[in-house]
């Protein structure tokens, strides 16, 4: 009887375990990518880790610790080219870089022979800036600093400087320095490339996930992005509730300038490859030395 009782108990526990659905795990960098999925996070149906910097994302790819990884598209290409099994499934942000100055009617021609404070030497921010400068035949003296915060600080200290900034930190900067004007590098890039803006951040799915799981996730993510863009005020309120590290006013302004959008992998392939080719010309290591093959794209 005792053995029978134990067997029944073990069977009962096993049935409970089988019926318990584990949450899918998401890792996403703070800022615009996190905002893109905020309504998935709020649903409580996903286990979401919001992180800062690229190191946790690289670690997640290497350990395959998460089902979905939001990351810069070039990072996803790099790890794919290194043999890590994640597929690119969608792009969610299309650039958040801006040149900032207190010059009146600030425009691209004002950069000729000027000094620009830039963060991220040889990284995406630097590549996009140089692409825009070269495409407009602008000669400028680029001074590199170690971080976005340091670039912003340069304009706080000296209002006459020109800096490269990014959302949502740019919206924070506007609360500290009056009269900031900006040049939208995404608009400049789109005009030069003819392919639209560059797919800066995307989502990568673990290669062994079932298609129905990925497709369901994509549908929910698309709906989240639509809600973000249709209701910046509601999204900002939700972000404050979820302890995003920005104020309501900053978030409302930043959302409209963060180019959060949704395009599936096959829809964005042409513009993504154009972007990767620019990176290849300037710093091939950022995409793993070559364009990813067809297996990179989920369809």
């Amino acid at each position: 009887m005792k053995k029978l009782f134990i067997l029944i108990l073990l069977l009962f526990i096993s049935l409970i375990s089988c019926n318990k659905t584990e949450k899918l795990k998401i890792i996403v960098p703070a800022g615009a990518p996190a905002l893109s999925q905020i309504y998935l996070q709020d649903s409580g149906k996903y286990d979401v880790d919001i992180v800062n910097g690229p190191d946790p994302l690289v670690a997640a790819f290497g350990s395959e610790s998460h089902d979905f990884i939001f990351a810069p598209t070039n990072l996803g290409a790099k790890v794919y080219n290194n043999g890590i099994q994640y597929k690119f499934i969608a792009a969610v942000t299309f650039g958040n870089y801006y040149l900032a100055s207190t010059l009146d009617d600030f425009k691209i021609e004002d950069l000729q022979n000027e000094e620009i404070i830039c963060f991220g030497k040889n990284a995406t921010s630097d590549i996009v800036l140089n692409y825009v400068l070269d495409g407009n035949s602008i000669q400028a003296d680029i001074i590199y600093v170690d971080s976005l915060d340091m670039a912003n600080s340069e304009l706080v200290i000296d209002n006459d400087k020109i800096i490269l900034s990014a959302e949502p930190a740019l919206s924070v900067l506007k609360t500290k320095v009056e009269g900031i004007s900006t040049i939208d590098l995404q608009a400049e890039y789109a005009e030069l490339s003819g392919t639209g803006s560059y797919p800066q951040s995307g989502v990568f799915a673990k290669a062994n996930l079932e298609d129905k799981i990925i497709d369901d996730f994509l549908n929910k993510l698309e709906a989240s992005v639509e809600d973000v863009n249709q209701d910046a005020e509601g999204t900002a309120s939700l972000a404050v509730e979820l302890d995003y590290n920005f104020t309501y006013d900053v978030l409302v302004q930043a959302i409209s300038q963060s180019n959060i959008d949704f395009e599936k992998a096959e829809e964005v392939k042409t513009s993504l490859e154009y972007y990767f080719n620019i990176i290849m010309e300037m710093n091939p290591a950022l995409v793993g030395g070559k364009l990813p093959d067809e297996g990179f794209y989920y369809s």
Side-chain angles (χ1 to χ4, degrees):
M1 284 293 292
K2 186 176 181 181
K3 288 183 178 180
L4 179 61
F5 174 78
I6 293 172
L7 286 172
I8 293 172
L9 180 60
L10 289 173
L11 178 61
F12 179 73
I13 293 171
S14 176
L15 288 171
I16 292 175
S17 298
C18 290
N19 289 329
K20 183 180 178 180
T21 303
E22 290 188 9
K23 292 182 180 180
L24 293 167
K25 295 189 69 176
I26 298 170
I27 186 169
V28 57
L35 287 167
S36 73
Q37 62 78 57
I38 192 168
Y39 290 97
L40 278 75
Q41 180 184 354
D42 186 52
S43 73
K45 296 179 180 179
Y46 299 89
D47 185 357
V48 180
D49 293 320
I50 298 178
V51 298
N52 290 292
D55 290 347
L57 304 177
V58 173
F61 277 119
S63 65
E64 299 185 5
S65 57
H66 292 74
D67 300 290
F68 297 99
I69 299 176
F70 288 66
T73 49
N74 66 285
L75 175 58
K78 182 177 181 178
V79 298
Y80 176 83
N81 281 332
N82 288 333
I84 294 175
Q85 297 301 304
Y86 276 82
K87 286 182 176 287
F88 172 62
I89 62 172
V92 291
T93 68
F94 291 78
N96 63 343
Y97 298 128
Y98 295 83
L99 290 167
S101 167
T102 56
L103 289 171
D104 291 334
D105 192 28
F106 185 37
K107 55 188 180 298
I108 198 77
E109 293 80 8
D110 295 327
L111 301 172
Q112 190 69 267
N113 299 320
E114 292 294 334
E115 184 180 278
I116 302 172
I117 308 298
C118 177
F119 64 95
K121 186 175 183 178
N122 295 321
T124 309
S125 52
D126 188 21
I127 288 171
V128 170
L129 173 60
N130 275 284
Y131 174 75
V132 170
L133 294 177
D134 291 346
N136 286 280
S137 301
I138 299 293
Q139 299 292 323
D141 183 15
I142 300 178
I143 307 298
Y144 294 97
V145 294
D146 291 338
S147 67
L148 169 58
D149 287 343
M150 289 182 67
N152 283 351
S153 295
E154 292 281 341
L155 189 59
V156 173
I157 294 168
D158 184 350
N159 294 171
D160 291 331
K161 290 190 174 181
I162 298 171
I163 69 163
L164 176 66
S165 190
E167 288 291 3
L170 174 60
S171 290
V172 176
L173 180 63
K174 288 179 178 179
T175 68
K176 300 177 181 178
V177 179
E178 292 184 1
I180 288 180
S181 297
T182 60
I183 294 173
D184 183 339
L185 291 187
Q186 291 64 237
E188 296 291 337
Y189 178 102
E191 184 174 345
L192 289 169
S193 71
T195 65
S197 189
Y198 51 97
Q200 183 179 10
S201 294
V203 193
F204 302 85
K206 193 180 290 185
N208 62 4
L209 285 178
E210 295 179 11
D211 286 355
K212 65 179 181 181
I213 293 176
I214 296 175
D215 292 341
D216 180 64
F217 179 84
L218 285 171
N219 289 335
K220 291 176 179 175
L221 179 59
E222 183 175 17
S224 177
V225 168
E226 184 177 345
D227 288 343
V228 168
N229 287 320
Q230 289 185 350
D231 187 6
E233 292 82 4
T235 301
S237 295
L238 179 57
V240 171
E241 289 177 20
L242 294 174
D243 295 325
Y244 282 45
N245 292 322
F246 297 98
T247 66
Y248 171 84
D249 290 338
V250 163
L251 286 162
V252 169
Q253 181 172 325
I255 287 168
S256 65
Q257 298 184 95
S258 293
N259 295 301
I260 298 169
D261 204 349
F262 176 89
E263 287 190 40
K264 292 181 179 179
E266 64 268 24
E267 298 169 343
V268 79
K269 182 181 177 183
T270 298
S271 57
L272 186 62
E273 288 188 338
Y274 185 95
Y275 173 51
F276 284 169
N277 276 313
I278 293 172
I279 294 175
M280 286 284 292
E281 290 178 7
M282 298 186 183
N283 190 353
L286 289 179
V287 291
K290 62 181 180 180
L291 291 182
D293 60 29
E294 290 296 321
F296 177 68
Y297 299 91
Y298 175 76
S299 59

